[in-house]
Amino acid sequence: MSISSRFAVAIHILALLDINKEGRNTSEFIAGSVNTNPVVIRRVIGLLGKAGLVHTSPGVGGASLARQPQDINLLEVYRAVQNDPPGELFAAHDKPNPKCPVGQNIQGTLDTVFRRAESAMENELAKVTLDQIVFDLVRGDR
Amino acid sequence: MSISSRFAVAIHILALLDINKEGRNTSEFIAGSVNTNPVVIRRVIGLLGKAGLVHTSPGVGGASLARQPQDINLLEVYRAVQNDPPGELFAAHDKPNPKCPVGQNIQGTLDTVFRRAESAMENELAKVTLDQIVFDLVRGDR
DNA sequence: TCACCTGTAACCATTGTAGTTACAATTACT
DNA sequence: AGTAATTGTAACTACAATGGTTACAGGTGA
């Protein structure tokens, strides 16, 4: 399966918060841009808030970036909205037969390979900042 | 979500086929090592067969590697058992609002980033051959 | 022939996701 | 103070992917 679209939605939200930092960003307004339900937006913003990426205020509030866009990279966003802990992009098969020479050692062998692959992906995400995303978005608008 | 454990199972199967190339590798025998149901094994072997990684013979058959273990890399295995087409590790959010400057361009921007990250992961998988996996397995056994 | 095995269909339980409704709590504005 | 707007969260639904299981038709080799 694929990585949940929460990640894409989260990036969309953060970019919008930066571009529209003067306006009032209600979950309904954001939902209009993302084209989904306001509750979905609030859920994602909740995750981003817990991760310290946005500030939210209850009541008639709205959200705003908690940091400068050049100080937010996509790996942070990824970790914020992906509830699986790091190191579990690839699922292991559980309880291989310990009596079999393959089953006995396969877990460790796979773990090494899987971690390397996952890290390679995450390193690419870490390279990209929200700033760059916004720049690319605005540039595409011309 | 994470990448299905079919990938881990597939690697397990291939390693076993190489190590036990003298024996008769029935789906039931393999299932014993993987610790799952024989039908699950047959399903995965079916995918590996379609991808040209193993030879299978119906009836009283069993499976065997179709290529030398040093000529099989994990990216091939990954693609064989992952039914999502390449480029879809990350899910996009569908139909962002085209009237919004963010919604209008976000898809393309994300696509570039996502593809880069996915490729980085796949490149790591491509580096590892079945041969290396087996070597590591056997080494761990001492 | 017969025991064995594969390939595949069918069904089920579980899980994660996203959309939706509803509502208490909070806040800003007048 | 009163009111309208908005958040945070719970609860429910629908849907898709996964992995386990049973069942069985058909191929294979002794």
Side-chain angles (χ1 to χ4, degrees):
Chain A
M1 279 189 70
S2 48
I3 287 164
S4 113
S5 75
R6 276 198 305 271
F7 184 35
V9 171
I11 299 173
H12 188 139
I13 292 173
L14 293 171
L16 198 54
L17 290 184
D18 185 46
I19 290 175
N20 190 42
K21 59 172 83 70
E22 312 304 335
R24 200 164 52 125
N25 294 294
T26 68
S27 65
E28 188 161 355
F29 168 73
I30 300 174
S33 173
V34 174
N35 190 30
T36 183
N37 193 287
V39 176
V40 174
I41 301 297
R42 281 180 239 152
R43 280 203 280 242
V44 174
I45 286 185
L47 294 171
L48 295 174
K50 276 182 201 159
L53 298 177
V54 300
H55 284 137
T56 65
S57 31
V60 180
S64 58
L65 292 185
R67 277 190 248 157
Q68 295 300 311
Q70 57 269 28
D71 294 331
I72 297 177
N73 71 62
L74 295 196
L75 178 57
E76 295 177 278
V77 181
Y78 175 73
R79 289 214 203 281
V81 299
Q82 201 66 17
N83 43 15
D84 300 331
E88 298 196 359
L89 175 62
F90 296 89
H93 57 313
D94 45 46
K95 320 186 208 65
N97 189 340
K99 292 178 195 153
C100 167
V102 174
Q104 191 177 4
N105 301 306
I106 188 88
Q107 306 263 34
T109 299
L110 290 185
D111 195 59
T112 304
V113 176
F114 287 172
R115 275 181 199 279
R116 240 196 297 265
E118 183 173 347
S119 294
M121 183 208 76
E122 293 183 346
N123 286 341
E124 286 299 314
L125 294 182
K127 281 183 195 166
V128 183
T129 65
L130 180 58
D131 202 37
Q132 292 165 4
I133 295 286
V134 171
F135 179 79
D136 204 64
L137 276 177
V138 174
R139 188 175 53 93
D141 205 26
R142 284 181 281 133
Chain B
M1 279 186 69
S2 49
I3 287 164
S4 115
S5 74
R6 276 198 305 271
F7 184 35
V9 171
I11 299 173
H12 189 140
I13 292 172
L14 293 171
L16 196 55
L17 290 184
D18 185 46
I19 290 174
N20 190 41
K21 59 171 83 70
E22 312 304 335
R24 201 164 50 125
N25 295 295
T26 69
S27 64
E28 188 161 354
F29 168 73
I30 300 174
S33 172
V34 174
N35 190 31
T36 182
N37 193 287
V39 176
V40 174
I41 301 296
R42 282 180 239 152
R43 281 204 279 243
V44 174
I45 286 185
L47 293 172
L48 296 173
K50 276 183 201 159
L53 297 177
V54 300
H55 284 138
T56 65
S57 31
V60 180
S64 57
L65 291 185
R67 277 190 247 158
Q68 295 300 312
Q70 58 268 30
D71 294 331
I72 296 178
N73 71 62
L74 296 196
L75 178 56
E76 296 177 279
V77 181
Y78 175 72
R79 288 214 204 282
V81 299
Q82 200 67 16
N83 43 15
D84 299 331
E88 299 196 359
L89 175 61
F90 296 90
H93 57 313
D94 46 47
K95 318 188 208 63
N97 189 340
K99 292 179 195 153
C100 168
V102 174
Q104 192 177 5
N105 300 306
I106 188 89
Q107 306 263 34
T109 298
L110 290 186
D111 194 59
T112 304
V113 176
F114 286 173
R115 274 181 200 280
R116 238 196 297 266
E118 182 173 348
S119 294
M121 182 209 77
E122 293 183 346
N123 286 341
E124 286 299 314
L125 295 182
K127 281 183 195 167
V128 183
T129 65
L130 180 58
D131 201 37
Q132 291 165 3
I133 295 286
V134 171
F135 179 79
D136 203 64
L137 276 177
V138 174
R139 187 176 53 94
D141 205 28
R142 284 181 282 131

